[in-house]
């Protein structure tokens, strides 16, 4: 199963083997939530899942310009299950979509050939209609190893997405937290 070619919209769940989706309402303006979500340099301060995030080139060399843009690569140091103390593991991603106006960002895992494993992750922040924000994290996995993800890692990924939403909410709602 090949990854979807359209990078302007999240893939449908049936495009892959397993899909995970979590959302949370945050009592903070969407701009504040978006600023926290896209400041990769500070993830180690608050996110127990993605402990560090760095923009790189295709050869994994860190970029001087850490401005988000499609076509840049991303190394995520993640902990599975989420933990502030566990030894992180790396994942190599390609940023496929960044829309600062619509508050949407997406990337695709490129650690392996797509026929073995691909994962498209989308994160969005929307106005909740009452001055707060609604954050959503959504990922679809495909390829042969996606069955391994479904059978052995789905629960940990669901836990990780829950932790990401919860800690993003805590940071955004804390007026003393740096943005």
């Amino acid at each position: 199963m090949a990854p979807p070619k359209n990078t302007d919209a999240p893939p449908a769940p049936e495009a892959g083997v397993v899909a995970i989706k979590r959302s949370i309402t945050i009592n903070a303006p969407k701009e504040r939530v978006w600023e926290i979500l896209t400041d990769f340099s500070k993830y180690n301060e608050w996110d127990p899942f993605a402990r560090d995030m760095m923009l790189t080139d295709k050869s994994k060399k860190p970029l001087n310009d850490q401005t988000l843009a499609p076509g840049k690569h991303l190394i995520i140091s993640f902990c599975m299950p989420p933990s502030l103390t566990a030894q992180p593991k790396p994942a190599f991603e390609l940023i496929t979509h960044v829309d600062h106006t619509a508050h949407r960002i997406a990337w695709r895992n490129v650690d392996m050939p797509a026929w073995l494993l691909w994962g498209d992750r989308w994160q969005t922040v929307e106005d909740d209609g009452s001055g707060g924000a609604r954050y959503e994290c959504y990922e679809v996995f495909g390829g042969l190893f996606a069955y391994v993800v479904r059978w052995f890692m789905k629960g940990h990924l669901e836990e990780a997405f829950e932790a990401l939403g919860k800690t993003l909410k805590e940071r955004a709602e804390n007026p003393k937290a740096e943005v």
Side-chain angles (χ1 to χ4, degrees):
M1 185 174 306
K5 294 186 187 316
N6 181 1
T7 59
D8 290 331
E14 57 273 5
V17 173
V18 63
I20 299 167
K21 184 177 184 178
R22 292 292 185 270
S23 62
I24 192 167
T25 300
I26 300 173
N27 297 317
K30 69 180 178 183
E31 292 79 11
R32 177 173 171 81
V33 176
W34 179 250
E35 190 173 346
I36 294 167
L37 188 66
T38 57
D39 186 354
F40 292 169
S41 69
K42 294 185 180 170
Y43 266 59
N44 63 340
E45 296 176 8
W46 63 271
D47 186 2
F49 174 50
R51 299 299 303 132
D52 188 44
M53 307 208 358
M54 180 182 300
L55 295 175
T56 71
D57 63 17
K58 191 174 183 174
S59 70
K60 300 184 181 180
K61 180 182 173 192
L63 297 173
N64 290 331
D65 180 6
Q66 290 288 303
T67 305
L68 291 172
K72 289 185 176 181
H73 288 78
L74 173 65
I75 294 178
I76 302 173
S77 296
F78 70 94
C79 291
M80 187 83 74
S83 167
L84 292 174
T85 58
Q87 183 65 32
K89 299 170 183 71
F92 191 50
E93 314 285 337
L94 172 65
I95 296 178
T96 57
H97 185 87
V98 178
D99 186 335
H100 290 287
T101 304
H103 302 92
R104 296 175 3 146
I105 185 171
W107 53 74
R108 174 172 289 159
N109 184 280
V110 291
D111 270 329
M112 299 180 196
W115 63 271
L116 277 177
L117 181 66
W118 59 267
D120 278 0
R121 178 176 301 176
W122 282 76
Q123 296 180 89
T124 60
V125 182
E126 298 177 339
D127 190 328
D128 74 352
S130 65
R134 181 160 182 79
Y135 165 73
E136 183 174 278
C137 187
Y138 174 70
E139 190 159 6
V140 176
F141 295 90
L144 291 175
F145 285 177
Y147 293 97
V148 174
V149 170
R150 182 172 71 189
W151 294 325
F152 297 106
M153 298 174 64
K154 184 178 180 192
H156 288 308
L157 284 165
E158 290 169 337
E159 183 182 350
F161 284 19
E162 288 283 336
L164 170 62
K166 179 182 173 191
T167 55
L168 177 61
K169 176 181 175 71
E170 289 170 0
R171 187 160 180 102
E173 290 178 355
N174 180 352
K176 294 180 182 176
E178 264 188 65
V179 180

